[in-house]
Amino acid sequence: MCATNRWEGVKLHDRSLTERLARYVPVLYVDPPISPATPRRRADIDTPARPRVRMLTENLAHLAPVVLPGLRRQGVAVANAEIVRRQIRRAVRELGAPAAALVEADVLLPAFGVGERVKVYWAQDDYAGGAELLGLDPVRVQVAEVKVAARADVVIAASPVVHAKLAALGANPLLIPYGCDPEAFASVDSAPLPTDVDLPAPVVGLIGHINERVDVSLLEAVADAGLSLLLVGPIDPAFEPERMRVLLGRPNVVSVGRKPAEALPSYLRIIDVGLVPYADTPFNRGSFPLKTLEYLAAGRAVVSTDLPATRWLDSPLIVSATTPRDFAAGVAEQARTDRTDPLVAARRAFAESHSWDRRARDFAAAIQVRRRDPVARADRLDPPTRLDPPNRTDPPDRTDSSGRSDPPAPSDSHDGSVFTSGGDREALQ
């Protein structure tokens, strides 16, 4: 799995999917490559002396590739892509399993060609639409994406807009959006109360990075309505510095900065309405915000801007609005709505229907279909109802006293592994 985010960083979509896949098949998680110059820009990253494979669990390994400075610059990217391929090949040999599939999301440093039987392109966002946010040339990114999609045996799009875009290019993509981890939010209502927030209820909250993706006018409208506004996550100092300074100076607005994932249930406990206040940009239209489903998994109301991903989810549990006035009105109405047990159960059930477990099964089904029939069109076949490792006899379902079934155990004998890699885009989540 050539990931777009480091394993040790904020837990996002690639790590969530990988953890689920590793329940069934061996997986090598490949960090986005770094160079010896990376720590000069990112104090939170240390460059390893040499790339090495380390085992995270019995069925999950990790590799942090080290490449030349310049990473994805033209002229350097080709050399770095080959360096990454060599390091993955070496890791595969060390692990002693052939590569059944390689999942790639980085169009500028594609690692296809390590001996994998199935090449999977995971189109996670509208890369060309967000190229300028990453300081990249949109035309170069678009051309690179077309080449990667053409090489892939399976193309998986993470949002309806990206799916439509790739379909227009003749890529026959599958739509498998991001999911959520319902178990991570199951104990929200019993989590300890945070000690750094003193806001009167009801509390409206935004959890995530605050940067160019956010429409600050929507946050201002919520604060103008007199609602308590809690911001949980880092704020880009270059993002609307004066407007953010004024917003954060209001008595009904509190920012607690970045928090570890294990602390989020405490903040969600005091939040009544979760916000997805994204601006109307090409990158946002092509995204599938993780926080929408996570708010619902916590049993909280959700108010979002009118994103294609929200329309695809098609649920009355998600309130959509476009203008600041309508957005604030929708938030105020949801804040006044009693959080009854049936309503909380409905929200959590909806999130469960979009869990990472389900996404992993669909993802692996697409790979397995292609492996079994190299000329199959995975987008025209129904995925199997359960995921099984290759060459394995199904055991009976194991159900405990609560009625919950355990997932199938990883296979002791396998004929391949699934591999995932990409470029660090934590700040855009």
Side-chain angles (χ1 to χ4, degrees):
M1 175 72 74
C2 295
T4 55
N5 299 281
R6 296 176 301 112
W7 181 269
E8 301 295 345
V10 177
K11 182 177 177 179
L12 294 170
H13 48 278
D14 30 25
R15 179 172 164 183
S16 294
L17 178 65
T18 296
E19 288 177 338
R20 292 336 187 268
L21 288 172
R23 296 177 180 179
Y24 312 117
V25 293
V27 184
L28 172 66
Y29 187 96
V30 183
D31 273 0
I34 60 175
S35 79
T38 301
R40 300 173 192 169
R41 298 180 293 103
R42 295 283 301 274
D44 60 320
I45 297 179
D46 292 325
T47 304
R50 64 181 181 83
R52 63 182 180 85
V53 177
R54 62 186 180 115
M55 297 305 299
L56 302 175
T57 68
E58 184 179 1
N59 226 32
L60 176 59
H62 172 260
L63 173 69
V66 179
V67 297
L68 300 172
L71 294 179
R72 296 169 184 81
R73 291 179 185 170
Q74 284 185 315
V76 180
V78 174
N80 279 340
E82 179 56 32
I83 291 172
V84 172
R85 282 191 287 272
R86 290 180 181 180
Q87 293 174 9
I88 294 176
R89 289 191 200 105
R90 186 180 304 119
V92 170
R93 288 196 299 270
E94 289 182 24
L95 293 169
L102 186 139
V103 182
E104 180 59 87
D106 188 340
V107 298
L108 296 181
L109 288 180
F112 290 152
V114 301
E116 71 278 4
R117 278 180 276 173
V118 179
K119 296 175 174 62
V120 181
Y121 170 43
W122 188 10
Q124 299 175 352
D125 287 299
D126 182 353
Y127 294 137
E132 292 182 359
L133 291 174
L134 295 167
L136 299 171
D137 177 11
V139 175
R140 179 187 171 214
V141 172
Q142 184 65 80
V143 170
E145 181 175 35
V146 170
K147 292 180 179 178
V148 170
R151 291 186 64 192
D153 302 303
V154 178
V155 177
I156 296 175
S159 79
V161 167
V162 174
H163 179 271
K165 175 183 173 183
L166 291 169
L169 296 172
N172 299 315
L174 284 162
L175 175 58
I176 304 179
Y178 293 160
C180 71
D181 183 2
E183 296 87 358
F185 303 95
S187 61
V188 162
D189 293 320
S190 60
L193 292 170
T195 59
D196 52 355
V197 180
D198 184 17
L199 287 170
V203 176
V204 177
L206 168 59
I207 296 181
H209 287 76
I210 300 175
N211 52 27
E212 292 181 33
R213 298 194 68 180
V214 170
D215 185 344
V216 69
S217 68
L218 302 179
L219 299 180
E220 291 169 337
V222 170
D224 287 342
L227 295 163
S228 294
L229 176 60
L230 173 62
L231 307 178
V232 183
I235 299 175
D236 183 349
F239 173 63
E240 298 283 3
E242 182 58 26
R243 293 176 73 180
M244 288 302 300
R245 184 188 66 80
V246 173
L247 178 66
L248 296 176
R250 301 189 189 201
N252 61 327
V253 179
V254 169
S255 172
V256 295
R258 184 193 294 270
K259 296 293 178 180
E262 56 269 20
L264 295 184
S266 292
Y267 294 95
L268 281 164
R269 178 178 175 178
I270 64 171
I271 288 175
D272 297 285
V273 184
L275 303 182
V276 188
Y278 281 0
D280 184 16
T281 65
F283 186 76
N284 283 343
R285 287 194 291 273
S287 70
F288 197 94
L290 294 166
K291 57 178 63 70
T292 303
L293 292 172
E294 291 173 347
Y295 292 142
L296 292 172
R300 271 46 188 173
V302 181
V303 178
S304 170
T305 42
D306 188 22
L307 300 169
T310 303
R311 293 197 294 272
W312 181 86
L313 287 170
D314 190 26
S315 172
L317 298 170
I318 305 170
V319 175
S320 296
T322 51
T323 67
R325 179 178 178 179
D326 291 344
F327 193 88
V331 172
E333 181 179 1
Q334 291 301 305
R336 292 191 298 265
T337 302
D338 291 337
R339 194 162 67 239
T340 63
D341 289 344
L343 183 55
V344 168
R347 291 167 178 165
R348 287 179 166 157
F350 183 82
E352 173 63 36
S353 71
H354 294 276
S355 69
W356 278 116
D357 286 331
R358 293 172 183 260
R359 299 296 193 247
R361 291 170 185 270
D362 291 344
F363 212 98
I367 295 172
Q368 290 183 355
V369 164
R370 184 70 189 193
R371 285 185 60 203
R372 291 167 182 159
D373 184 357
V375 298
R377 285 278 299 279
D379 55 312
R380 293 185 178 176
L381 296 175
D382 292 330
T385 57
R386 62 181 288 142
L387 172 64
D388 299 308
N391 295 342
R392 166 167 176 242
T393 302
D394 291 344
D397 286 344
R398 301 186 307 276
T399 305
D400 63 19
S401 58
S402 67
R404 181 182 59 204
S405 295
D406 292 332
S411 172
D412 291 328
S413 63
H414 57 273
D415 66 351
S417 304
V418 178
F419 297 86
T420 300
S421 105
D424 192 347
R425 295 181 294 111
E426 279 178 13
L428 293 183
Q429 303 304 322

